Amino acid sequence: MTAAPEKIVHEGLRLDHDPGRQRYSLWHGATYVGFLGYALDDGVATLQHTIISEAYGRRGYARALVTLVLDRLRGEGVKIVPECSYVQDYLTRYPEYEDLLA
């Protein structure tokens, strides 16, 4: 079995949370890269979609975004329901996050 790729391969990433729009946005320096949308209900976040700008696709940004969001949700004691197919695949590659499943 091959090792899972490193979760975050970029320096200078920033995660912004916009609860009004129910999304976490990923920035690389001053550049907007993409977002992860969710719905929160009674301490459970349904992770709905992960969208990365086309110019940044297939370069590890989605993986970094999901890692940062899951780490933040874990720190806040929030459980997840992964509707997003990317998040579902991520959880298969990184089973250390399975404790977050609602």
Side-chain angles (χ1 to χ4, degrees):
M1 185 171 154
T2 60
E6 189 175 346
K7 288 183 241 166
I8 299 179
V9 296
H10 303 285
E11 298 290 326
L13 296 180
R14 183 179 87 242
L15 185 69
D16 285 347
H17 184 207
D18 184 347
R21 295 180 72 190
Q22 295 187 314
R23 64 173 50 182
Y24 289 93
S25 298
L26 183 67
W27 295 80
H28 193 167
T31 304
Y32 173 78
V33 176
F35 73 93
L36 192 154
Y38 69 92
L40 186 63
D41 183 33
D42 199 28
V44 177
T46 299
L47 305 181
Q48 299 169 323
H49 42 258
T50 303
I51 307 294
I52 298 296
S53 298
E54 194 172 326
Y56 298 96
R58 315 239 7 113
R59 293 174 36 196
Y61 285 103
R63 186 172 64 241
L65 172 58
V66 172
T67 300
L68 292 169
V69 169
L70 293 180
D71 287 346
R72 178 168 299 180
L73 293 174
R74 176 181 276 153
E76 295 172 355
V78 175
K79 295 293 187 181
I80 65 164
V81 174
E83 277 184 1
C84 169
S85 61
Y86 185 86
V87 175
Q88 292 168 2
D89 291 344
Y90 179 98
L91 292 172
T92 300
R93 286 186 288 167
Y94 302 101
E96 63 266 30
Y97 289 99
E98 287 180 355
D99 63 302
L100 292 175
L101 294 170

